[in-house]
Amino acid sequence: MDKLLSERVIVKIPKYNIPVKHVEPVMIPIDKMLPHEEIVSKRLEDLIDLIKSLNAVDLPLIIAPIPGTDKYLIVDGHHRWAALKALGAKKAPAIIVDYFDPSIKLHTWYPAFTGDLELFLEELRKASLEYSVCVKEEAIERIDRSGYAFILIGRNNTCILIHGGIEEQKKVSHILDKLSSKGLIKLVYYGLKDDALKDLESKDIEYVLLRKPPSKEEVIEVVKKGEVFSPKTTRHVLPYIPAKTYTPLSMCF
């Protein structure tokens, strides 16, 4: 399934046979919820407009208790949370889950693009990001190791290691967003690595950026530190898709 994230960004969503389930949300204070990813300003604007037009919150947030605190991790619904916060709301409709339940899966997204590689590398240098050329076969074996923000693989055996961690991933994401918003690259986010590599092989894309998916423990650790990942770092899969509940906006104040 493809989804248009913005005018220039496409998201390739994996197909799952997940049932839709109605769960009555509970109202939770917004200041008790903590995000684990950065907010995309354009997406936030769209959500604010949607909530205003509906005069309701169509979907509940998915949250989970953060061990050792009285706070909740936002598993899904970062932009709804940020939109309600921007509107001055005090509470948000939410479904509380056990984050460490094995039925809740954690994956990542893989950004890919078509465009001028040298332009991308120039932006890496401007951002003081370190990178080095590598051998494609060896790099793929290193994907699940730490120490690399991304491993870029392209046509003609192009392979580049972008060194670093969370902060460097943020910089790379900002570069991709900047080049995409200017129309200099065509940006696509893949939910599955195999789909990205297949499209790379079939020449639907020119370059894909692979990375090690974070663990649930790493997500909790980052949030406890008051930090966040770059947008579209985590991809959570729940055992069900929450049905729309359309909580009246008035209930959020």
Side-chain angles (χ1 to χ4, degrees):
M1 182 190 302
D2 292 358
K3 179 181 178 182
L4 195 64
L5 186 64
S6 72
E7 292 181 358
R8 299 186 184 275
V9 183
I10 294 174
V11 178
K12 298 274 189 175
I13 302 174
K15 294 180 180 178
Y16 295 111
N17 186 23
I18 302 175
V20 175
K21 179 181 177 181
H22 177 83
V23 179
E24 194 63 31
V26 293
M27 302 305 293
I28 301 293
I30 282 177
D31 61 7
K32 291 287 186 181
M33 302 179 185
L34 298 178
H36 69 271
E37 287 188 344
E38 290 182 315
I39 301 298
V40 178
S41 57
K42 181 62 174 69
R43 176 67 176 147
L44 175 58
E45 292 170 9
D46 291 343
L47 260 294
I48 290 173
D49 290 342
L50 176 63
I51 291 172
K52 283 181 177 180
S53 66
L54 294 173
N55 199 29
V57 184
D58 60 343
L59 281 168
L61 284 70
I62 307 296
I63 62 175
I66 299 173
T69 76
D70 64 347
K71 306 290 187 181
Y72 295 91
L73 168 75
I74 300 174
V75 179
D76 182 68
H78 283 77
H79 291 85
R80 289 191 294 281
W81 167 81
L84 285 168
K85 193 173 182 180
L87 290 169
K90 302 301 181 185
K91 295 177 288 185
I95 296 171
I96 301 174
V97 300
D98 175 4
Y99 192 50
F100 291 96
D101 186 322
S103 67
I104 296 176
K105 309 297 183 184
L106 173 58
H107 307 283
T108 191
W109 293 94
Y110 301 96
F113 69 92
T114 296
D116 187 344
L117 177 61
E118 184 52 42
L119 183 61
F120 174 73
L121 296 179
E122 181 182 343
E123 291 296 329
L124 294 186
R125 293 190 289 270
K126 287 180 182 177
S128 300
L129 288 166
E130 295 184 9
Y131 65 88
S132 56
V133 177
C134 57
V135 177
K136 181 177 178 181
E137 289 72 20
E138 294 177 1
I140 290 178
E141 293 178 359
R142 300 186 194 183
I143 290 171
D144 290 330
R145 302 180 194 176
S146 58
Y148 306 109
F150 286 103
I151 298 177
L152 181 147
I153 295 176
R155 298 180 192 171
N156 302 320
N157 291 319
T158 300
C159 184
I160 295 171
L161 296 175
I162 303 174
H163 302 269
I166 293 174
E167 291 307 313
E168 287 71 24
Q169 284 185 359
K170 288 181 188 176
K171 290 182 179 180
V172 172
S173 293
H174 294 162
I175 288 170
L176 291 171
D177 183 60
K178 172 185 172 182
L179 295 177
S180 173
S181 63
K182 290 184 175 180
L184 298 174
I185 63 170
K186 174 187 174 184
L187 182 58
V188 182
Y189 280 95
Y190 285 85
L192 293 175
K193 177 178 65 178
D194 288 347
D195 287 348
L197 293 176
K198 183 173 69 175
D199 280 3
L200 182 66
E201 186 70 24
S202 65
K203 300 183 179 180
D204 287 345
I205 54 173
E206 292 182 337
Y207 306 99
V208 60
L209 292 147
L210 305 178
R211 61 177 156 192
K212 175 182 177 290
S215 67
K216 291 181 179 179
E217 290 78 11
E218 287 171 330
V219 171
I220 293 294
E221 182 182 350
V222 164
V223 172
K224 281 187 171 181
K225 289 179 180 177
E227 300 174 356
V228 289
F229 292 96
S230 59
K232 301 201 77 61
T233 295
T234 62
R235 182 173 69 81
H236 290 93
V237 180
L238 276 68
Y240 61 87
I241 298 171
K244 292 190 175 184
T245 49
Y246 294 100
T247 302
L249 188 56
S250 59
M251 291 181 63
C252 301
F253 289 88

